[in-house]
């Protein structure tokens, strides 16, 4: 009975309906990410015109460190809604989603109803983090239990085993995050509106560092404003030579390392001048650079062709060389080439022949 009384049945929070205001808050919190922001504005515009809306189920997917989870918080702040998060990584028991039957010892409602109880309103932003990391075991498959939660045709009468009352989830704005789409089961993926959160380019990372990371890390490491400044070249140098990632987590760690080194200098000598971090200082603070960025050859060279490599962590230029010697006239390909690359090479060879 306590649970039934504690769960919200009609309490609502007012949405922030001003699109310009929402846009301003989203831009404040995140640089770039045009697609997700556009989708949120569309959602609001439609909601304003229709008066009510079956909330869509948005799923942000992309490599780690690109701001998917923090985008969820940011959306809640922009809409003026309450925010609740359930991390689904490693959950392999169906009862975690749907609740336990009350006959069991230690039975309790599932994560969804618990989240609603905690947040106290029927229209929060509910973030289901890491939906691709759900496990399945002999205790059932939680991904299948999520179907009822995330299907707009069914979730107005979600049935929790503990509550045993149909519960309306249709006002909740569900957001999911995932790293790999392949790991989300097909029936579940079918109910999600997929929005790709791409890896950032070097220039985007530079802006993120200037607008967000340096301020955040300076505060965390007790550096007063203006005591440490970074040159743009130095930040780009860190991005290119000390990190290789899609997001900005490693970049944040490297900036924090520089600021900690500066903190040591300030504590040893309280009168020391403000420090400006340039490329030389970066080399001094961070040591040997682990990554080399290949530059394009200045002039065309015989026997060398420029290739491009692309991974989810970013791209690089590959100078590919060819060598020839007496033999039977065959073509030998070295390195780990994919099928398509091997085909391209043999087509080129046929063309030359």
């Amino acid at each position: 009975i306590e649970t039934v009384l504690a769960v919200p049945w009609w309490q609502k929070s007012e949405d922030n309906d001003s699109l310009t205001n929402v846009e301003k808050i989203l831009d404040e919190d995140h640089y770039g990410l045009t697609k997700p922001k556009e989708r949120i504005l569309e959602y609001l515009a439609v909601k304003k015109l229709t008066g009510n809306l079956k909330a869509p189920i948005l799923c942000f997917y992309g490599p780690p460190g690109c701001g998917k989870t923090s985008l969820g918080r940011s959306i809640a702040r922009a809409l003026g809604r309450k925010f609740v998060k359930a991390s689904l990584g490693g959950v392999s028991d169906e009862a975690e989603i749907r609740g336990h039957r009350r006959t069991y010892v230690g039975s309790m409602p599932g994560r969804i109803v618990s989240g609603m109880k905690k947040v106290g309103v029927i229209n929060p932003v509910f973030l289901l983090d890491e939906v691709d990391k759900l496990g399945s075991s002999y205790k059932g498959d939680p991904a299948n239990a999520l179907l009822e939660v995330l299907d707009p045709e069914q979730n107005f009468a979600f049935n929790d085993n503990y509550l045993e009352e149909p519960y309306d989830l249709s006002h909740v704005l569900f957001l999911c995050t995932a790293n790999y789409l392949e790991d989300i089961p097909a029936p579940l993926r079918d109910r999600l509106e997929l929005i790709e959160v791409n890896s950032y380019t070097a220039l985007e990372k530079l802006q993120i560092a200037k607008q967000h990371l340096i301020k955040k890390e300076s505060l965390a490491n007790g550096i007063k404003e203006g005591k440490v400044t970074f040159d743009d070249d130095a930040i780009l140098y860190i991005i290119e030579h000390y990190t290789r990632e899609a997001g900005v987590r490693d970049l944040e760690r490297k900036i924090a390392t520089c600021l900690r080194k500066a903190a040591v200098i300030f504590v040893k000598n309280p009168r020391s001048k403000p420090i400006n971090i340039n490329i030389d200082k970066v080399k001094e603070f961070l040591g040997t650079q682990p990554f080399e960025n290949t530059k394009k050859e200045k002039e065309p060279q015989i026997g060398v062709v420029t290739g491009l490599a692309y991974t989810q962590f970013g791209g690089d230029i590959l100078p590919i060389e060819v060598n020839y010697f007496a033999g039977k006239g065959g073509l030998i390909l070295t390195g780990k080439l994919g099928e398509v690359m091997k085909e391209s090479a043999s087509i080129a060879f046929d063309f030359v022949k």
Side-chain angles (χ1 to χ4, degrees):
I1 290 172
E2 277 177 3
T3 304
V4 172
L5 291 175
V7 170
W9 295 93
W10 43 265
Q11 296 87 331
K12 249 185 173 176
S13 60
E14 281 301 308
D15 273 5
N16 170 8
D17 277 342
S18 146
L19 289 190
T20 41
N21 201 357
V22 169
E23 206 166 2
K24 185 170 141 262
I25 292 177
L26 288 175
D27 286 338
E28 247 172 54
D29 287 356
H30 289 83
Y31 181 85
L33 299 184
T34 334
K35 278 258 168 61
K37 289 177 183 173
E38 272 175 12
R39 183 62 190 87
I40 296 304
L41 291 177
E42 287 163 15
Y43 162 70
L44 272 183
V46 173
K47 186 174 163 298
K48 200 164 183 179
L49 293 176
T50 56
N52 80 318
L53 180 68
K54 273 185 182 165
I57 316 292
L58 305 179
C59 177
F60 300 129
Y61 71 95
C66 289
K68 298 183 291 292
T69 307
S70 58
L71 188 63
R73 278 180 209 283
S74 174
I75 287 167
R77 188 168 87 90
L79 296 179
R81 288 191 177 194
K82 293 196 168 177
F83 178 76
V84 58
K85 169 176 175 267
S87 193
L88 301 179
V91 169
S92 63
D93 185 354
E94 193 186 325
E96 289 269 348
I97 308 290
R98 229 181 233 143
H100 303 78
R101 292 228 161 73
R102 286 202 301 272
T103 49
Y104 295 126
V105 174
S107 62
M108 55 197 271
R111 299 254 180 130
I112 306 295
V113 169
S114 299
M116 298 301 288
K117 182 171 136 186
K118 198 189 309 172
V119 83
V121 289
I122 60 168
N123 63 340
V125 170
F126 203 125
L127 181 72
L128 299 167
D129 217 4
E130 314 284 7
V131 259
D132 56 335
K133 312 275 191 307
L134 282 167
S136 77
S137 67
Y138 66 94
K139 292 177 180 168
D141 190 344
N144 294 338
L146 269 181
L147 295 180
E148 188 187 359
V149 177
L150 298 180
D151 189 343
E153 298 302 319
Q154 300 176 44
N155 70 5
F156 58 84
F158 171 66
N159 203 3
D160 187 282
N161 292 331
Y162 186 82
L163 208 59
E164 283 189 336
E165 278 296 320
Y167 188 70
D168 184 2
L169 291 172
S170 62
H171 302 285
V172 181
L173 176 56
F174 279 108
L175 301 175
C176 305
T177 71
N179 294 137
Y180 304 105
L181 278 189
E182 303 78 51
D183 296 347
I184 305 175
L188 182 56
R189 197 165 59 212
D190 181 49
R191 286 162 171 80
L192 303 174
E193 183 176 332
L194 301 168
I195 297 175
E196 185 175 8
V197 180
N198 267 324
S199 52
Y200 297 115
T201 61
L203 293 175
E204 283 177 322
K205 287 182 186 177
L206 172 68
Q207 291 303 328
I208 291 168
K210 284 166 69 174
Q211 292 175 23
H212 302 286
L213 304 181
I214 294 173
K215 287 177 195 162
K216 180 180 161 189
E217 288 303 324
S218 296
L219 200 67
N221 291 298
I223 305 282
K224 291 195 176 70
E225 209 175 321
K227 285 290 267 183
V228 177
T229 51
F230 282 82
D231 286 355
D232 285 8
D233 296 349
I235 300 172
L236 280 169
Y237 193 78
I238 295 175
I239 291 166
E240 286 177 0
H241 296 281
Y242 290 90
T243 65
R244 183 149 290 179
E245 53 171 357
V248 288
R249 281 195 189 130
D250 213 18
L251 174 61
E252 189 175 344
R253 285 193 279 266
K254 296 289 184 264
I255 288 172
T257 306
C258 291
L259 291 168
R260 285 198 301 273
K261 304 267 189 215
V264 171
I265 295 171
F266 291 141
V267 171
K268 278 184 177 170
N269 179 8
R271 291 204 187 131
S272 58
K273 290 180 185 153
I275 295 175
N276 175 45
I277 294 182
N278 51 24
I279 291 180
D280 294 336
K281 269 274 187 284
V282 167
K283 287 179 185 169
E284 180 193 327
F285 284 169
L286 297 180
T288 317
Q289 51 203 44
F291 301 111
E292 192 49 63
N293 257 20
T294 322
K295 291 277 185 281
K296 189 166 161 285
E297 296 287 345
K298 289 195 171 58
E299 291 161 7
Q301 299 207 13
I302 295 171
V304 179
V305 65
T306 307
L308 295 177
Y310 163 76
T311 65
Q312 65 184 39
F313 303 116
D316 204 354
I317 290 176
L318 303 177
I320 300 163
E321 291 195 48
V322 68
N323 208 342
Y324 74 96
F325 37 82
K328 289 179 184 165
L331 173 69
I332 300 169
L333 301 172
T334 59
K336 269 188 159 179
L337 293 179
E339 291 300 313
V340 179
M341 295 289 273
K342 284 178 183 166
E343 276 176 14
S344 307
S346 62
I347 289 168
F349 189 55
D350 292 349
F351 178 76
V352 171
K353 273 189 162 179

